[in-house]
Amino acid sequence: MIFYKKILILLPISYFAICLFMFLFQRTFMYHPDINSYDDTGIQFEFKKVEISSTENIVLNSWYSFKNSNYKTLVFFHGNAGNLNNRIYKLNKINQLNLNFLIISWRGFSGNSGKPTEDGLYQDAKSSIRWLEQNGIIKTNIILYGESLGTGVALELAKDSKYAGIILESPFTSMVAMAKKIYPFLPASILVKDKFESLSKVKKNVSPILIMHGEMDTLVPAHMGKILFQEANNPKYSYFPSSDDHMMKYDIKLVSVLRDFISAL
């Protein structure tokens, strides 16, 4: 009897300890600046390294490729892992399009100071838009491109302003929904600090939007991308290849989808 009483006491204490641990250290599980799990390939585009000032005296290491003042400018917001070099294979393909592009690295990534948080990433993204505006590029000539976690940042900006277009690659509906999927035994709605409520924000976006999501995504379920597409305002476009995983194949088909979308803007 005493044994069972101890179990009844220890169970809630252990559960509370787990919840407290996840609450305190959750950003360690969410942001992975030191993980290098992407293809490292040679650079096939011309660019210059630029430093963009963000809040809290943080300077963002960024790459800027400018080709033509008549082209729209794509701003690339990368996901929660790796550095700028890990996106070279995508930028090589983007460079084949009639676009200028800017890719920024988040605070705490690619040698930048600071620690990533939801609000911090929003401030970094807004700083990149201000930098472009200071260089003569207006929002209606800017295309926001979000990759994975970066999709939540792109939608935060898009809910308040009109851009030339929005591209979401492997998006999620919210970080709370993701946490419930990964940790179904935890009260995610209470614990998650960085919520990235993309579902509510996509409804406020008035810019043309392209949503791309691989059906075989083992990290973010493809149905999240489809829900976002369903709730998005027109004009909207989609690309849901049957064999792509979370990091989508940057093949001829995907590049063709990007080219068609950009041409329609």
Side-chain angles (χ1 to χ4, degrees):
M1 190 68 176
I2 295 176
F3 172 77
Y4 290 112
K5 287 183 178 179
K6 289 182 178 179
I7 292 295
L8 290 175
I9 294 172
L10 288 174
L11 280 176
I13 293 175
S14 299
Y15 184 72
F16 176 79
I18 292 171
C19 290
L20 181 62
F21 176 84
M22 294 300 293
F23 179 77
L24 294 174
F25 298 101
Q26 60 184 269
R27 288 181 174 134
T28 303
F29 297 97
M30 184 179 294
Y31 304 105
H32 307 284
D34 298 322
I35 289 181
N36 187 346
S37 59
Y38 302 99
D39 178 30
D40 286 320
T41 189
I43 295 176
Q44 300 169 9
F45 52 88
E46 294 184 1
F47 74 101
K48 64 178 181 179
K49 295 181 179 180
V50 297
E51 294 183 340
I52 296 176
S53 297
S54 187
T55 56
E56 302 178 45
N57 295 317
I58 291 171
V59 177
L60 309 175
N61 293 313
S62 308
W63 296 351
Y64 184 46
S65 177
F66 180 84
K67 293 186 288 188
N68 191 314
S69 59
N70 293 321
Y71 291 170
K72 291 182 170 57
T73 298
L74 182 145
V75 185
F76 194 107
F77 300 137
H78 69 70
N80 71 328
N83 54 46
L84 296 180
N85 290 322
N86 301 140
R87 277 75 192 184
I88 290 174
Y89 74 103
K90 294 185 179 182
L91 298 177
N92 283 340
K93 298 295 185 181
I94 290 173
N95 185 58
Q96 298 174 7
L97 307 173
N98 292 332
L99 287 173
N100 308 309
F101 64 82
L102 169 71
I103 179 170
I104 68 170
S105 55
W106 304 121
R107 58 186 64 203
F109 286 74
S110 296
N112 297 336
S113 61
K115 295 183 179 179
T117 64
E118 179 179 11
D119 184 66
L121 269 58
Y122 292 162
Q123 296 306 318
D124 292 349
K126 292 175 182 177
S127 297
S128 72
I129 302 302
R130 283 195 297 270
W131 185 87
L132 285 173
E133 289 179 321
Q134 291 167 3
N135 283 273
I137 300 173
I138 60 176
K139 288 178 180 175
T140 50
N141 281 331
I142 294 174
I143 300 170
L144 303 180
Y145 187 116
E147 170 202 87
S148 191
L149 182 71
T151 63
V153 181
L155 284 171
E156 168 66 17
L157 269 61
K159 73 178 177 63
D160 296 321
S161 300
K162 183 174 177 59
Y163 291 86
I166 315 294
I167 302 172
L168 306 181
E169 177 191 349
S170 304
F172 53 90
T173 52
S174 75
M175 201 52 66
V176 170
M178 283 297 300
K180 288 180 178 179
K181 169 186 174 291
I182 300 171
Y183 307 106
F185 55 91
L186 295 177
S189 299
I190 299 173
L191 296 179
V192 174
K193 298 177 183 178
D194 298 345
K195 292 182 166 43
F196 291 98
E197 296 283 2
S198 293
L199 182 56
S200 62
K201 294 173 184 177
V202 76
K203 300 175 184 179
K204 299 177 182 178
N205 169 57
V206 295
S207 307
I209 188 169
L210 166 63
I211 297 179
M212 309 188 298
H213 209 140
E215 296 275 6
M216 299 300 290
D217 193 330
T218 54
L219 181 59
V220 179
H223 72 78
M224 288 192 175
K226 293 180 179 180
I227 290 172
L228 289 173
F229 179 74
Q230 179 180 343
E231 296 297 326
N233 297 311
N234 287 313
K236 57 183 176 180
Y237 307 85
S238 66
Y239 177 58
F240 296 104
S242 60
S243 61
D244 282 24
D245 203 333
H246 188 62
M247 286 294 102
M248 301 182 69
K249 300 173 186 174
Y250 250 66
D251 54 18
I252 295 175
K253 291 181 180 179
L254 186 146
V255 174
S256 178
V257 169
L258 292 177
R259 181 177 287 109
D260 290 345
F261 176 69
I262 292 164
S263 298
L265 300 178

